[in-house]
Amino acid sequence: MSDNNLFDKIVSHAKEYGFVFPSSEIYGGLAAVYDYGQNGAELRNNLRQFWYLSMTRLNQNIVGLDSAIFMHPKVWKASGHVDGFNDPMIDNKDSKKRYRADVLIEDHQEKIRQKIQKEIEKAAKRFGETFDAEMYKSTNPRVMEYQQKIDEMDSILKEGLESGNLNLIKELIENEGIVCPISGSKNWTDVRQFNLMYSTQMNALEGGEEALYLRPETAQGIFVNYLNVQKTGRMKLPFGIAQTGKAFRNEIVARQFIMRMKEFEQMEMQFFCKPGTELEWYNYWKQARMKWHLALGTPQNKYRFHDHVKLAHYANAAVDIEFAFPFGFKEVEGIHSRTDFDLGRHEEFSGKKLRYFDPETNESFIPYVVETSIGLDRLFLLTLAQAFTEEQVDGDTRTVLKLHPAIAPVKCAILPLVKKDGLPELAEKIYNDLRFDFNVFIEDKDSIGKRYRRMDAIGTPFCITVDHDSITGNDVTIRYRDSMQQERVSIDRLSEILHKETDMSALLKQL
Ligand code: GAP
């Protein structure tokens, strides 16, 4: 169910509390480009670190990489991006707005899915405890009709994209009566393909040289380094290479805040394995990645798998992990079984052998690859959306980000009750002791209640209040963000408490 009001609140909260700012805002901003503020940068770093450590530290056979954004132009010919990295776009002649044709269709399908959901909810109320949702979905004529409609749309979309007959997609949009969300009209242009890569030149002088592209995915940096890492790391199959980094796409339709950006960050892992074992590894990574998401505390019902309708010609399995954003279920991560396509193409285009010699069988072959690919910015938005909570407390609304303590931007705020009697000095001493291990914050302005609320709004899991008794008793009050309960603890125990609750290892141990 979409909730625009909630989404708007999250976007303004992100700006008001230093998480996300529009890029170059003083010049009016830049469409679909964003900057991360003081709290956003911390949260983003923590999410990235959780991903990177879960890949490289928890798996003996996965290593890291940090490849350059610029790559040889031939890389993108080999990968198929020069010829095939297109989006099918359609314009509405009245609003002059441009849309991704497949997204218009997917949004329309989502509305039909919501109708199915409503039917199920109504029936569940009618039938009570004996209700069997699966049985109902496979026997109720109206629900079956809705599902059939969705399936038919899937197959037309797939046929249109695979055959390149974009008229099929235009006809589908027209036949389904899909209207422009801005003008409300059905006055559509033809569907056309647009390439998504940004190009530039290596040298200042234009002309004469091949275009250099800003990488549209980090994965190709891994493929072209496959042999370097395999040889220098003496890696044996199966093994993985993981990297995080910026990617750039000329997304013509920028939508939903940091959901679809022109400059964004990916966290990708290519898992190289023996041909014939790839589907086993695909299923392994599908489950492993879902477990990773759930470790952050998000309930299972907020996630779902969505098998790709249109498999790329080189893939033999592909699934998206989708999250229930306030605007509906949308992709956060993709898991793709890409066969030997990428390494095979790089072998062909570079003329260099990219084979693996298997000492057990004395055979050389191109490994198969299973990839996991998640957008850090989408994960960031998911995390904000999941954590954002409004609660009624003493007749007032408390806005709190219920972030997992290990990813919270600030772990602990140290708050002297008053600005005198030695309390600021003691607070400063506690701050200085803790700052080597934790991102701590100290503040003595405003009432303690106001300071608590500001910390709630950025998701700080612990607030420590230093009062007059702290001087004599060497203890402080610790307040827990979610329960708002308070407890008296010895200053000597603070580091131990914070380590236990906020260390990244607490998260990693769940995997
Ligand atoms: N190497 C495979 C690949 O790039 P993808 O599905 O195009 O696959 C992977 O991208 C992930 O990158 C997506 O699931 C999404 O989280 C993120 N992503 C893709 N395009 C994005 C954009 N324009 N803005 C933000 N995140 C994006």
Side-chain angles (χ1 to χ4, degrees):
M1 211 46 59
S2 62
D3 187 341
N4 291 335
N5 189 23
L6 172 63
F7 185 54
D8 290 346
K9 277 188 186 172
I10 293 168
V11 175
S12 20
H13 190 87
K15 167 131 198 259
E16 189 180 344
Y17 288 95
F19 284 91
V20 184
F21 305 128
S23 161
S24 355
E25 196 184 9
I26 56 170
Y27 290 99
L30 190 62
V33 186
Y34 291 90
D35 298 337
Y36 288 86
Q38 65 280 20
N39 291 317
E42 292 287 335
L43 174 57
R44 207 156 169 276
N45 285 344
N46 294 340
L47 288 169
R48 187 193 296 107
Q49 197 194 11
F50 177 42
W51 182 89
Y52 190 76
L53 294 181
S54 75
M55 284 292 173
T56 56
R57 280 218 194 143
L58 298 193
N59 295 287
Q60 286 181 10
N61 60 349
I62 299 184
V63 292
L65 179 79
D66 194 347
S67 69
I69 288 174
F70 285 144
M71 299 180 76
H72 194 287
K74 274 196 189 160
V75 167
W76 306 110
K77 289 224 172 89
S79 68
H81 283 83
V82 170
D83 297 320
F85 192 48
N86 303 316
D87 271 346
M89 309 299 296
I90 190 166
D91 293 26
N92 183 269
K93 291 182 195 162
D94 297 319
S95 66
K96 309 268 181 269
K97 288 277 171 205
R98 184 163 289 170
Y99 300 92
R100 259 181 65 179
D102 56 331
V103 172
L104 275 183
I105 293 166
E106 278 163 17
D107 286 351
H108 187 64
Q109 286 175 310
E110 189 57 33
K111 283 188 191 140
I112 303 176
R113 275 197 201 96
Q114 285 171 13
K115 285 187 188 165
I116 295 181
Q117 195 51 37
K118 269 200 188 132
E119 293 289 336
I120 294 173
E121 281 163 16
K122 267 198 298 190
K125 270 198 198 135
R126 229 177 23 247
F127 293 113
E129 275 185 6
T130 58
F131 181 66
D132 179 341
E134 285 312 310
M135 169 80 89
Y136 184 76
K137 277 201 274 188
S138 59
T139 51
N140 179 275
R142 190 174 301 160
V143 169
M144 285 163 68
E145 203 181 300
Y146 284 147
Q147 189 55 49
Q148 196 184 344
K149 177 115 256 160
I150 292 173
D151 295 343
E152 273 169 22
M153 290 168 74
D154 273 345
S155 73
I156 297 171
L157 180 61
K158 183 171 184 230
E159 193 188 333
L161 291 173
E162 280 179 358
S163 67
N165 182 358
L166 300 178
N167 271 340
L168 286 178
I169 299 176
K170 184 181 182 193
E171 277 165 26
L172 179 60
I173 290 173
E174 285 174 342
N175 294 343
E176 285 302 318
I178 297 176
V179 297
C180 165
I182 308 282
S183 68
S185 92
K186 298 178 203 160
N187 196 5
W188 296 109
T189 62
D190 287 343
V191 178
R192 283 166 299 162
Q193 295 282 20
F194 281 83
N195 193 285
L196 292 173
M197 282 196 296
Y198 284 106
S199 63
T200 180
Q201 277 82 33
M202 187 104 227
N203 301 315
L205 288 176
E206 275 200 33
E209 61 182 53
E210 267 182 300
L212 200 64
Y213 296 102
L214 293 187
R215 68 181 176 195
E217 61 170 15
T218 58
Q220 297 305 323
I222 296 180
F223 289 123
V224 300
N225 279 296
Y226 149 75
L227 211 54
N228 283 337
V229 174
Q230 194 269 320
K231 291 239 156 87
T232 56
R234 288 172 288 114
M235 309 297 288
K236 290 207 168 59
L237 288 189
F239 75 90
I241 304 178
Q243 82 165 326
T244 68
K246 289 274 181 144
F248 304 83
R249 295 185 188 177
N250 191 1
E251 300 281 5
I252 298 172
V253 185
R255 293 204 315 175
Q256 285 145 343
F257 191 39
I258 54 174
M259 189 71 192
R260 191 170 294 286
M261 302 156 88
K262 293 180 188 249
E263 175 183 336
F264 58 100
E265 185 159 338
Q266 287 188 317
M267 308 194 288
E268 300 200 293
M269 192 277 295
Q270 314 297 128
F271 196 74
F272 301 89
C273 60
K274 284 189 187 173
T277 64
E278 74 278 7
L279 290 181
E280 226 172 278
W281 285 115
Y282 169 78
N283 284 321
Y284 170 84
W285 282 111
K286 199 173 146 180
Q287 302 313 327
R289 292 303 303 144
M290 184 58 95
K291 197 170 174 196
W292 183 90
H293 281 272
L294 298 178
L296 285 164
T298 310
Q300 173 83 71
N301 66 0
K302 288 286 193 86
Y303 283 107
R304 72 180 184 197
F305 286 117
H306 180 255
D307 288 313
H308 278 206
V309 176
K310 182 199 162 216
L311 275 185
H313 61 278
Y314 51 83
N316 59 8
V319 68
D320 291 336
I321 294 180
E322 294 186 339
F323 174 76
F325 285 97
F327 39 82
F329 270 99
K330 293 282 174 232
E331 172 192 346
V332 184
E333 171 157 9
I335 295 134
H336 314 123
S337 174
R338 301 177 66 117
T339 68
D340 57 356
F341 173 79
D342 301 88
L343 288 181
R345 294 275 290 186
H346 286 307
E347 221 187 57
E348 188 187 329
F349 279 69
S350 67
K352 301 269 166 18
K353 286 265 172 277
L354 297 176
R355 312 255 153 159
Y356 176 79
F357 176 73
D358 188 344
E360 283 166 21
T361 59
N362 271 346
E363 279 173 345
S364 284
F365 54 85
I366 301 180
Y368 271 37
V369 170
V370 174
E371 138 181 287
T372 73
S373 174
I374 177 167
L376 177 54
D377 310 275
R378 274 193 205 176
L379 174 67
F380 185 100
L381 182 58
L382 172 167
T383 307
L384 273 193
Q386 179 56 28
F388 185 87
T389 314
E390 288 182 315
E391 292 175 346
Q392 288 307 310
V393 178
D394 303 330
D396 201 14
T397 305
R398 171 174 98 119
T399 305
V400 50
L401 290 187
K402 296 196 171 175
L403 296 167
H404 190 294
I407 57 164
V410 175
K411 305 302 185 209
C412 174
I414 299 153
L415 313 172
L417 196 59
V418 289
K419 285 194 222 175
K420 54 182 184 179
D421 304 335
L423 303 195
E425 289 76 9
L426 179 56
E428 192 75 25
K429 182 182 177 308
I430 297 173
Y431 174 86
N432 284 333
D433 287 345
L434 294 176
R435 70 184 166 148
F436 297 103
D437 289 329
F438 311 98
N439 188 23
V440 278
F441 177 79
I442 184 163
E443 189 180 44
D444 58 14
K445 271 193 275 329
D446 292 332
S447 73
I448 196 77
K450 272 195 185 149
R451 283 183 271 168
Y452 281 159
R453 288 297 159 84
R454 281 202 291 266
M455 286 299 116
D456 288 343
I458 64 165
T460 305
F462 305 102
C463 286
I464 287 166
T465 310
V466 178
D467 56 26
H468 290 95
D469 292 340
S470 304
I471 307 245
T472 46
N474 192 42
D475 54 10
V476 287
T477 300
I478 185 162
R479 171 191 181 264
Y480 298 93
R481 178 194 68 199
D482 296 351
S483 64
M484 291 186 288
Q485 281 186 345
Q486 304 191 6
E487 202 184 342
R488 203 74 191 166
V489 297
S490 160
I491 291 174
D492 303 334
R493 282 196 54 226
L494 286 176
S495 175
E496 171 205 324
I497 295 172
L498 289 186
H499 269 301
K500 185 162 167 270
E501 303 286 337
T502 70
D503 279 359
M504 192 61 79
S505 56
L507 257 182
L508 292 169
K509 278 180 187 153
Q510 290 182 49
L511 299 176

